[in-house]
Amino acid sequence: MIRPSHGMLHHVELWVPDLPRALASIGWLLESLGYSLFQDWDGGRSWQLGPTYLVVEQSPALTAGEHDRCRPGLNHLAFHVEDSSTVERMVDDATRHGWRLMFPERHPYAGGTQHYAAYLENDDGFEIELVALGSPEKT
């Protein structure tokens, strides 16, 4: 295992309103990115990649029924992916796992001409960004 360095992200915990739906979308995403199932309990699961893990939990302490990425708090998570063809393959697969492409009219340069990425949103309003390593410049 990689030894974490000072300041490295330890974990992220997402509270979701519908665990089975979140497992179908977020679980698929994490496993597609190389994360492995780390923990599994009645109210949630976690996946780990190196020293970092991500928790998806349907907590009984939820105070709202949906996530709103435009309110204070988490807006989105961004993940590195191998290259632009991997971005496109994952976008194609994502629609079968509860995700929709955001900003399709500007895809894959919604983040700028030197930033090859896909922005996806699931049915619970969580946004993820898939960023190609070595993003090619738009010509």
Side-chain angles (χ1 to χ4, degrees):
M1 176 183 257
I2 299 171
R3 178 174 165 74
S5 59
H6 179 84
M8 188 174 197
L9 186 65
H10 185 269
H11 74 275
V12 172
E13 185 167 332
L14 299 177
W15 281 14
V16 298
D18 185 304
L19 184 60
R21 188 171 56 222
L23 296 178
S25 65
I26 298 171
W28 165 82
L29 172 77
L30 294 172
E31 289 173 11
S32 294
L33 291 168
Y35 284 74
S36 299
L37 187 61
F38 178 50
Q39 300 164 315
D40 186 357
W41 64 100
D42 287 343
R45 294 218 178 103
S46 69
W47 290 263
Q48 184 173 32
L49 182 62
T52 303
Y53 64 97
L54 197 141
V55 176
V56 175
E57 181 177 13
Q58 186 173 348
S59 172
L62 280 174
T63 60
E66 62 184 37
H67 172 71
D68 183 347
R69 64 183 181 75
C70 294
R71 297 185 70 176
L74 178 71
N75 177 265
H76 72 281
L77 297 173
F79 296 93
H80 292 287
V81 298
E82 189 173 353
D83 54 30
S84 59
S85 63
T86 304
V87 168
E88 296 310 321
R89 179 183 48 76
M90 290 187 71
V91 167
D92 290 342
D93 291 346
T95 58
R96 292 187 294 278
H97 298 278
W99 297 94
R100 69 170 182 81
L101 182 63
M102 301 171 72
F103 322 114
E105 69 286 352
R106 296 192 330 240
H107 175 75
Y109 296 104
T113 59
Q114 296 182 0
H115 188 73
Y116 195 104
Y119 298 83
L120 302 169
E121 183 177 34
N122 73 3
D123 291 336
D124 289 321
F126 288 98
E127 178 186 346
I128 58 103
E129 179 181 352
L130 303 173
V131 182
L133 293 171
S135 297
E137 186 172 338
K138 184 178 181 180
T139 55

